[in-house]
Amino acid sequence: MVGVAPGDSIDSAYRRFIRDMMAHGTFWELERARYYVSKGEIERAKRRKIYKTKRKRARARRKLRGKQV
C-alpha cells in the first residue's frame, strides 16, 4: 500500500507502488497463479491420454482383424 501526500505526484506514487510490488514478489506470485496447473489436473490429462491411446490401438486391431477375414 502506497500513500499519496497532497503535493505528491501520481507518477512518483505509481513508481513507488511498482517498486514495492517488485520488492515483495507480488508480481511473481500473480504470474505463477495465472499459469498454475494443479497436480490433479496433470494426472487427469495423463489418464485421458492413456485411455485415448488404448482406444485407438483397440480400434486399429479390430480394423486389421476385419481386413484379414
Side-chain angles (χ1 to χ4, degrees), residues 5-49:
D8 204 3
S9 165
I10 298 295
D11 290 332
S12 65
Y14 179 73
R15 282 194 296 271
R16 249 185 298 134
F17 173 71
I18 296 297
R19 229 179 299 129
D20 192 39
M21 296 274 282
M22 294 291 280
H24 289 96
T26 310
F27 284 133
W28 180 81
E29 289 177 16
L30 289 173
E31 283 298 306
R32 193 178 123 225
R34 183 187 298 178
Y35 298 109
Y36 178 75
V37 179
S38 69
K39 188 175 180 180
E41 186 64 33
I42 293 170
E43 292 298 320
R44 284 190 290 277
K46 283 181 186 178
R47 272 189 259 129
R48 277 195 306 270
K49 188 175 180 181

